[in-house]
Amino acid sequence: DTAVSQTPKYLVTQMGNDKSIKCEQNLGHDTMYWYKQDSKKFLKIMFSYNNKELIINETVPNRFSPKSPDKAHLNLHINSLELGDSAVYFCASSQGILLAGEFQETQYFGPGTRLLVL
Amino acid sequence: TQLLEQSPQFLSIQEGENLTVYCNSSSVFSSLQWYRQEPGEGPVLLVTVVTGGEVKKLKRLTFQFGDARKDSSLHITAAQPGDTGLYLCAGPSDTSYGKLTFGQGTILTVHP
């Protein structure tokens, strides 16, 4: 059974379009994340939800809007796609959430969604 | 801002060789993690080091956390083609809970 799954795995679209990526975890975790990995493989947090509540919102354009209908799902909607949005987007989950600076528990990553904006 | 710098960025070696990847910061971290990401997949946690000076072994992989908890290293003995992948170190933010800061990664290629 896949622990963290994402759809679609590949997404090729035109500039200006709106697209969504879906993520589901069957681990019973309370916290889910969206990361962006650029062409140089740098992985950066975008958003995090804990029990459907937004807790991390990094400096991400407003065109990106996450939604968590329940704690097992975290979707990412992107409006007016731009060339620079091309990247691999990873969803991840972890059991809980800890205070800043404390021991970080395991995050489980999905297989990624490869987005190419033409 | 806490930054993690990994070196080298790229490593291409022959099967059977040893290698070391470094993860350095000017900031103190309460813990550091190492992930491996294989092509087309997401990162998978290898180890978490928590105590300064700690050494953890995972088969042919040895992880060390610096005494001052500002750096870590990953040493692979007798590398195999199956070790090929992107190795990432990560540490928890001291300001935002739940946030992991990643290094820029080391791409390792082990040739048969």
Side-chain angles (χ1 to χ4, degrees):
Chain A
D1 283 346
T2 305
V4 181
S5 59
Q6 294 179 230
T7 54
K9 185 159 186 177
Y10 298 95
L11 187 52
V12 181
T13 188
Q14 298 288 330
M15 238 179 7
N17 284 350
D18 302 339
K19 291 293 179 185
S20 291
I21 308 172
K22 296 187 176 182
C23 177
E24 177 180 1
Q25 54 97 1
N26 63 6
L27 298 167
H29 287 168
D30 289 338
T31 308
M32 296 184 73
Y33 311 80
W34 277 113
Y35 286 88
K36 179 180 180 180
Q37 187 172 49
D38 62 24
S39 58
K40 295 184 179 179
K41 305 296 184 185
F42 186 60
L43 196 60
K44 190 166 186 224
I45 183 81
M46 299 173 70
F47 302 102
S48 175
Y49 272 75
N50 178 254
N51 275 318
K52 302 194 296 175
E53 184 181 341
L54 181 66
I55 55 170
I56 295 176
N57 185 351
E58 289 294 287
T59 309
V60 178
N62 291 336
R63 299 181 294 103
F64 290 79
S65 52
K67 279 191 182 166
S68 182
D70 54 65
K71 72 174 193 177
H73 295 85
L74 180 61
N75 303 322
L76 183 65
H77 187 75
I78 315 170
N79 289 326
S80 303
L81 278 155
E82 299 178 358
L83 295 176
D85 297 332
S86 296
V88 183
Y89 292 84
F90 286 100
C91 176
S93 73
S94 64
Q95 177 61 49
I97 195 77
L98 296 171
L99 295 177
E102 296 215 354
F103 171 73
Q104 180 69 49
E105 56 189 39
T106 303
Q107 292 190 10
Y108 295 84
F109 286 79
T113 294
R114 285 132 194 88
L115 171 65
L116 178 60
V117 182
L118 302 174
Chain B
T1 304
Q2 295 169 298
L3 291 175
L4 287 167
E5 293 188 9
Q6 284 185 240
S7 61
Q9 277 190 277
F10 301 94
L11 201 47
S12 181
I13 62 172
Q14 292 297 125
E15 184 175 1
E17 292 184 14
N18 301 332
L19 66 111
T20 302
V21 177
Y22 299 93
C23 176
N24 296 305
S25 176
S26 57
S27 304
V28 175
F29 283 86
S30 59
S31 63
L32 281 177
Q33 295 185 318
W34 285 91
Y35 288 80
R36 179 168 68 208
Q37 183 180 357
E38 296 187 12
E41 301 294 330
V44 175
L45 180 68
L46 294 173
V47 78
T48 302
V49 285
V50 182
T51 307
E54 181 178 7
V55 176
K56 281 191 173 178
K57 291 195 174 185
L58 188 66
K59 297 184 181 177
R60 294 176 293 101
L61 278 60
T62 302
F63 304 85
Q64 186 160 8
F65 199 12
D67 291 339
R69 291 186 287 125
K70 291 183 177 182
D71 56 86
S72 182
S73 64
L74 157 61
H75 182 79
I76 302 180
T77 304
Q80 298 177 1
D83 296 327
T84 293
L86 173 69
Y87 289 81
L88 296 158
C89 66
S93 165
D94 60 358
T95 54
S96 300
Y97 54 76
K99 178 181 169 184
L100 268 183
T101 298
F102 281 85
Q104 73 269 46
T106 295
I107 297 175
L108 171 65
T109 304
V110 182
H111 302 280

